[in-house]
Amino acid sequence: MKLVLGRDDLAAAALSAARQAGAEPERVDIKPVHKASRGFVNTSDVDLCELAIVTVLQAAAHGKPVLLLPLTTLGRHQHQTLVTLGRLSVADVEGRSVGVRAWSQTTGVWVRGFLTEQYGIDLRKADWTTYEGHHVEGAEDPSWVERAPEGTKLPADFLAGRVDFGIMGNELPSDDRVRTAIDDAHDVAEQWSKDQGFVPVNHVVGVSEAAAAEHGAAILAAYDAMRSVLAAKEEGGPVALHPVGFTGLRAAFTKAAAYALEQDVIPRAVHYDELVERTCAALGVAPSRLGG
């Protein structure tokens, strides 16, 4: 039973619990963790894998054998990830160029959702450039999105002024010229989360259908162990940073799915109950066993 998890504490807990449940787990070290997604989704290279929330939605929409284990391994505010070098602001996005690493990158999906919902931006009136394809085979960029030339990278294009705005999280370059396009972005993000009742979710945990059939008891044990770790480290506050359980993740998944459909990230609507039912059927448990 092969596992890919970015956090050492979650990996240690999952490995120990799976071993106690009778499995022979092995942690596969892939960094950054998102590089494991393609093999997991398309060819089931590993059994349990940390995944971006949008990758789960695309996998479901394209009929991939991927199940959701409802654990948030990475949650964070996102408004600050829309950046610019000049005097432009979020009000200037229409008619300007915007770069994002991949159209299905979860950070980009959240930010584009904010642009339409909070700022009234028509996404099709901006010039979008992507730099990578999708993790899920069969997924494609919309016709109104341009792919950058092979070998080019968003941070370099952004710093050189070849795109007016960039959507960047961990890949954001360190440069004194960089500024957020949304004024008081962190305050805006905190208020958005208070209003919505959740912090945007980036990464969750996926399980292959084959692993659920073969290692069901070990997967449930790993879920329990990782849930305990996340609960112990939850910082409190008005909304949970790392929600767990099907109930805890419902709002974030529902909103992300709506944004993804509006942005042509997924070819059909993916309803949260579909994900719940598939996971529970594969593991032979009621939703309450997985927090909802």
Side-chain angles (χ1 to χ4, degrees), residues 12-56:
L15 288 168
S16 177
R19 195 173 292 116
Q20 291 178 23
E24 297 181 3
E26 170 193 356
R27 184 185 185 185
V28 180
D29 188 21
I30 298 177
K31 296 179 181 179
V33 72
H34 72 79
K35 290 188 177 296
S37 300
R38 189 181 304 277
F40 169 70
V41 169
N42 300 301
T43 57
S44 300
D45 287 354
V46 296
D47 301 296
L48 182 149
C49 187
E50 182 172 335
L51 287 178
I53 187 173
V54 173
T55 302
V56 175

Side-chain angles (χ1 to χ4, degrees), residues 29-95:
D29 188 21
I30 298 177
K31 296 179 181 179
V33 72
H34 72 79
K35 290 188 177 296
S37 300
R38 189 181 304 277
F40 169 70
V41 169
N42 300 301
T43 57
S44 300
D45 287 354
V46 296
D47 301 296
L48 182 149
C49 187
E50 182 172 335
L51 287 178
I53 187 173
V54 173
T55 302
V56 175
L57 293 169
Q58 282 192 319
H62 288 273
K64 303 298 183 180
V66 172
L67 308 172
L68 169 65
L69 204 61
L71 299 158
T72 301
T73 60
L74 176 61
R76 71 177 181 207
H77 295 302
Q78 303 282 14
H79 287 72
Q80 75 283 356
T81 64
L82 179 66
V83 294
T84 184
L85 294 178
R87 303 174 64 87
L88 300 174
S89 76
V90 63
D92 301 308
V93 168
E94 289 186 7

Side-chain angles (χ1 to χ4, degrees), residues 52-203:
I53 187 173
V54 173
T55 302
V56 175
L57 293 169
Q58 282 192 319
H62 288 273
K64 303 298 183 180
V66 172
L67 308 172
L68 169 65
L69 204 61
L71 299 158
T72 301
T73 60
L74 176 61
R76 71 177 181 207
H77 295 302
Q78 303 282 14
H79 287 72
Q80 75 283 356
T81 64
L82 179 66
V83 294
T84 184
L85 294 178
R87 303 174 64 87
L88 300 174
S89 76
V90 63
D92 301 308
V93 168
E94 289 186 7
R96 300 282 182 169
S97 56
V98 190
V100 62
R101 177 172 58 82
W103 193 247
S104 56
Q105 184 183 14
T106 295
T107 295
V109 172
W110 284 119
V111 171
R112 292 192 300 268
F114 305 151
L115 290 177
T116 57
E117 198 167 73
Q118 291 183 274
Y119 300 98
I121 302 296
D122 184 341
L123 298 179
R124 288 164 176 77
K125 291 183 179 179
D127 296 324
W128 293 93
T129 300
T130 61
Y131 293 77
E132 296 179 12
H134 303 254
H135 295 311
V136 178
E137 290 180 358
E140 298 180 354
D141 287 356
S143 60
W144 41 281
V145 172
E146 181 181 353
R147 180 64 56 84
E150 187 71 25
T152 58
K153 300 293 183 182
L154 171 57
D157 272 3
F158 174 71
L159 291 177
R162 288 187 286 271
V163 292
D164 299 311
F165 296 91
I167 299 176
M168 288 179 279
N170 294 335
E171 68 268 51
L172 181 67
S174 178
D175 190 300
D176 291 341
R177 296 174 297 163
V178 177
R179 53 181 294 275
T180 58
I182 296 173
D183 290 338
D184 302 315
H186 287 282
D187 292 339
V188 173
E190 288 184 1
Q191 187 59 54
W192 185 90
S193 289
K194 289 178 183 178
D195 294 342
Q196 296 290 330
F198 66 89
V199 171
V201 170
N202 263 46
H203 289 184

